[in-house]
Amino acid sequence: MRCPDPVQLEAFVDGELPAERLAEVARHLEGCPTCAGRVRQTQRLVTLLRRHQEAVSGSLDAGLLLAAARRQADHHRTVRAAWRRSLVAAGLVLALGAGATAYQIGLVPTPAGFSDPFSQALLREHQRFESALAADRELNVQVATLEQ
Amino acid sequence: VALSGAWPGEAARAEQDAWFEDLVRTHGSKVRSLVYRLVGGEAEDLVQDVFVQVYRSLPGFRGEAQVSTWLYRIATNRCLDYLRRHRRTEGKVISLENCAEEHSLEPLAVPLASPEARTVAVDLRREIRRCLAALPADLRAVVVLRDLEGLEYREIAAVLGLPLGTVQSRLHRGRNLLRDKLGPYLEG
């Protein structure tokens, strides 16, 4: 068997090889001092790291962490709501601004600009109605004068 | 609500809060150790950040992943983000060397025969800490998760969102760097 690559040798040390591959590598190690040396070095390194690792003393205060987490979550909710309100307000201002600008530069037609027959007829009807209303108001004024 | 039970999902807030507290009590120390091992002396605020992030992520937790894997994922990603944003602190050995004194890091109990042996062990621990701190963050994460936290390859892949092959190659590269630096301690 050819020498396994170094990654495979580490997987052997870590017990991460499938059973049949594990047996093959184990047989290989019996006859290959180079690979056996690599495996020994990895084992020593892992043992060294584990034996001399440090633990963090003291336990965490769950209540305190919960309070901090809730405070942060509430803060994020408030900020998000403020952003939403600001966005809606900005949208409204933009829409109004765009409408006013469009009206000013003539993108939105004025009544006189309606050129199709239906709009013209509607306009004439509206003018007739306005005249009738004015005449009616005039008549009312005359009647009121006579009554006095 | 016992943590052994499933995540209460969209239950009442009180139930979710109780589940969160149980989570902190059950896994808090492990998460705290992991954060210290990944970022060293500046970890205390980061531990709180991790649990704030956990609390915010609770509604998205569907219970498909193991709770510990999910927690490790949030903690590791938060630490890697932190290290990326504070790249200059990588290899900032001083803070890591001092972190035991500043942040109550304590060695695991190792029976030592004599005061001399204890001194050697303290020096060795300091050297190991220095070498781990000098590793690039992506390699350090894999080495810490495997060799200090004892996670399996597939668990590391799930925590870091990496293919198995990448986990193996990073572990190999990380261990190679450590082997070079800690060579004298590995001769037997």
Side-chain angles (χ1 to χ4, degrees):
Chain A
M1 174 191 174
R2 278 174 48 198
C3 289
D5 67 54
V7 169
Q8 290 258 308
L9 290 178
E10 291 195 4
F12 173 82
V13 172
D14 292 328
E16 292 268 357
L17 286 181
E20 68 277 13
R21 184 72 185 139
L22 192 82
E24 279 174 23
V25 174
R27 271 197 303 277
H28 172 80
L29 291 176
E30 285 169 14
C32 179
T34 310
C35 288
R38 277 188 184 154
V39 164
R40 248 192 325 274
Q41 263 224 333
T42 304
Q43 283 167 334
R44 281 189 194 131
L45 175 68
V46 172
T47 307
L48 189 77
L49 292 176
R50 288 200 183 142
R51 276 197 69 195
H52 295 278
Q53 67 177 305
E54 288 149 321
V56 183
S57 64
S59 56
L60 294 171
D61 187 328
L64 216 62
L65 277 175
L66 176 63
R70 285 178 71 158
R71 215 171 28 246
Q72 283 271 345
D74 288 345
H75 173 71
H76 279 287
R77 254 196 300 278
T78 311
V79 169
R80 268 204 307 274
W83 264 105
R84 260 199 303 273
R85 276 197 300 274
S86 306
L87 278 175
V88 169
L92 278 174
V93 168
L94 270 176
L96 283 172
T101 308
Y103 193 81
Q104 273 187 337
I105 63 174
L107 281 178
V108 178
T110 56
F114 289 123
S115 53
D116 61 292
F118 178 75
S119 300
Q120 288 293 331
L122 208 63
L123 202 56
R124 277 197 300 277
E125 197 56 41
H126 177 70
Q127 282 161 351
R128 254 201 302 278
F129 175 72
E130 284 287 333
S131 309
L133 210 62
D136 199 33
R137 269 199 299 270
E138 180 61 27
L139 192 63
N140 280 344
V141 170
Q142 285 172 9
V143 169
T145 311
L146 283 174
E147 278 175 354
Q148 282 171 2
Chain B
V1 181
L3 189 58
S4 49
W7 158 242
E10 297 302 314
R13 188 170 171 174
E15 263 186 76
Q16 293 188 1
D17 288 356
W19 198 82
F20 175 80
E21 284 188 290
D22 209 10
L23 191 77
V24 174
R25 275 190 288 271
T26 314
H27 294 281
S29 301
K30 296 274 294 174
V31 170
R32 194 182 191 199
S33 289
L34 174 67
V35 173
Y36 271 97
R37 284 164 184 163
L38 288 174
V39 303
E42 292 136 78
E44 199 52 56
D45 286 347
L46 211 53
V47 173
Q48 181 169 317
D49 281 2
V50 166
F51 279 102
V52 166
Q53 178 69 49
V54 165
Y55 186 78
R56 286 177 62 194
S57 307
L58 280 179
F61 179 59
R62 297 276 170 261
E64 288 148 6
Q66 271 196 351
V67 174
S68 57
T69 307
W70 177 68
L71 275 176
Y72 270 37
R73 186 184 307 144
I74 291 175
T76 310
N77 286 337
R78 190 73 191 79
C79 290
L80 291 176
D81 276 352
Y82 176 85
L83 290 171
R84 269 191 283 272
R85 276 189 282 116
H86 299 79
R87 210 173 270 278
R88 68 185 183 283
T89 63
E90 277 195 38
K92 187 177 161 189
V93 177
I94 298 303
S95 77
L96 284 163
E97 282 194 335
N98 290 340
C99 70
E101 291 74 25
E102 291 169 7
H103 297 278
S104 60
L105 270 175
E106 286 176 356
L108 292 181
V110 178
L112 295 169
S114 64
E116 291 77 26
R118 259 197 297 278
T119 309
V120 170
V122 168
D123 288 346
L124 177 55
R125 259 197 310 275
R126 186 169 295 140
E127 187 61 9
I128 291 172
R129 203 186 306 140
R130 197 182 66 78
C131 293
L132 276 171
L135 286 181
D138 55 348
L139 305 187
R140 191 190 322 162
V142 179
V143 172
V144 165
L145 288 171
R146 172 65 217 173
D147 290 338
L148 302 186
E149 302 294 331
L151 266 62
E152 293 176 8
Y153 288 178
R154 59 175 179 78
E155 289 174 313
I156 301 171
V159 165
L160 296 173
L162 294 172
L164 212 59
T166 309
V167 169
Q168 286 180 287
S169 68
R170 285 189 186 180
L171 182 62
H172 175 62
R173 280 159 54 211
R175 280 174 173 172
N176 262 354
L177 289 172
L178 287 176
R179 257 192 295 263
D180 289 347
K181 290 169 195 289
L182 295 169
Y185 301 99
L186 300 175
E187 287 157 12

